[in-house]
Amino acid sequence: EVQLVESGGGLVQPGGSLRLSCAASGFTFSGYWMNWVRQAPGKGLEWVANIKQDGSEKYYVDSVKGRFTISRDNAKNSLYLQMNSLRAEDTAVYYCARDLWGYGSGSFDIWGQGTMVTVSS
Amino acid sequence: DIQMTQSPSTLSASVGDRVTITCRASQSISSWLAWYQQKPGKAPKLLIYKASSLESGVPSRFSGSGSGTEFTLTISSLQPDDLATYYCQQYNSYSRTFGQGTKVEIK
C-alpha cells in the first residue's frame, strides 16, 4: 500500500524548534519530488516547501524562508522538516505529500494523515 | 508569486444540483492546475489534475475545465458525500500555491 506517515508534532514554545518526519512506503520514494503543506486551525491549505528527488533543489514559501529546512534521506525513505524560530502563526497540521512533477503533472496524489504542531507559551 | 483566488467562499446547494466553483490565477499557468477535496478532519484528496484530467477512482460527476488564468470545477449532480471544502492549486512554478478554498454545504 502506498502510504505516507508523519510524526514529530507537538507543543513547543515560541522561538523553539521541532523536527517533523514523514515515512514513505509502497513506492519508490527516491523517484518523486516531495512537499510539506500546512493547515492552520479552521483555515485553508498553505504550501510550505518542496524538495527534488536527489535533494539538489528546495523551495519555500516566503513566510518560512530562513527558519525551516526541508531535507530527505532516500536510503531511509524519509522526508523531514526542521522548524526553527517557531512562531504562533506556525501552529497548524503539517502534511507531507507526494508530487507528480516529472510524471506529467505537479499535483499531489498521495498525502499523509498530518501531524499537529502547536506553538504556544 | 502566483496568487490563486477561488469563488465563492461558501456555496449551499441541494442534492442533484449542478455546482460550479471558479479559480483564477494572477498570471497564466497554462493547464497546470489541480483540484482537491477535503472533508472535515481528513487529508485532502486529489480530484482533477492538468485542469481537466480526472484522477483514477474519482466519480465522473466531477469535471474540470479552463486554461490560462480561469478555471472551473463542476459537480454535475451534487451528492450528500460531496459535503467538503474544495481547493485549487497551481503548479506552474516550483513554488506551489493553493486557493483559499470553497466550502460546499448541502441544503
Side-chain angles (χ1 to χ4, degrees):
Chain A
E1 180 189 6
V2 175
Q3 196 173 9
L4 296 170
V5 179
E6 302 94 337
S7 60
L11 175 64
V12 61
Q13 291 188 341
S17 297
L18 211 55
R19 188 197 197 206
L20 305 183
S21 299
C22 171
S25 60
F27 66 99
T28 304
F29 178 72
S30 60
Y32 292 87
W33 281 75
M34 294 296 297
N35 294 264
W36 287 101
V37 176
R38 67 184 178 183
Q39 186 169 36
K43 302 298 184 181
L45 301 172
E46 180 181 39
W47 173 80
V48 174
N50 60 8
I51 184 169
K52 194 177 180 180
Q53 290 94 327
D54 61 0
S56 62
E57 293 183 40
K58 306 174 185 181
Y59 300 89
Y60 300 90
V61 68
D62 285 348
S63 60
V64 308
K65 283 180 182 175
R67 300 189 300 122
F68 289 12
T69 301
I70 189 172
S71 63
R72 65 191 296 162
D73 185 336
N74 288 338
K76 294 184 177 179
N77 292 330
S78 292
L79 176 72
Y80 306 102
L81 186 67
Q82 178 65 44
M83 303 186 295
N84 298 331
S85 303
L86 282 161
R87 306 166 180 166
E89 53 265 35
D90 295 318
T91 294
V93 173
Y94 285 73
Y95 296 99
C96 62
R98 187 175 81 169
D99 194 320
L100 292 178
W101 190 253
Y103 292 87
S105 176
S107 51
F108 303 166
D109 68 330
I110 305 296
W111 295 68
Q113 85 289 352
T115 188
M116 183 71 202
V117 173
T118 303
V119 184
S120 175
S121 55
Chain B
D1 289 357
I2 300 172
Q3 308 301 317
M4 306 301 293
T5 304
Q6 285 182 236
S7 60
S9 296
T10 305
L11 183 160
S12 183
S14 300
V15 172
D17 282 355
R18 183 180 183 88
V19 166
T20 299
I21 299 169
T22 298
C23 178
R24 289 186 174 85
S26 60
Q27 66 186 73
S28 177
I29 57 170
S30 185
S31 295
W32 300 126
L33 184 103
W35 289 97
Y36 300 86
Q37 175 193 66
Q38 187 180 34
K39 296 183 177 180
K42 300 293 186 182
K45 173 188 173 183
L46 177 63
L47 298 176
I48 302 282
Y49 62 94
K50 217 180 296 183
S52 60
S53 296
L54 192 68
E55 175 72 350
S56 176
V58 173
S60 59
R61 63 180 180 273
F62 291 94
S63 64
S65 64
S67 66
T69 62
E70 187 151 338
F71 303 85
T72 59
L73 173 70
T74 299
I75 308 173
S76 59
S77 177
L78 190 67
Q79 299 301 305
D81 188 52
D82 300 336
L83 169 69
T85 301
Y86 295 83
Y87 295 91
C88 62
Q89 177 225 347
Q90 67 80 20
Y91 49 92
N92 184 70
S93 67
Y94 290 114
S95 296
R96 316 290 202 232
T97 320
F98 289 92
Q100 80 277 17
T102 296
K103 186 176 182 179
V104 174
E105 300 173 341
I106 310 294
K107 280 183 185 175

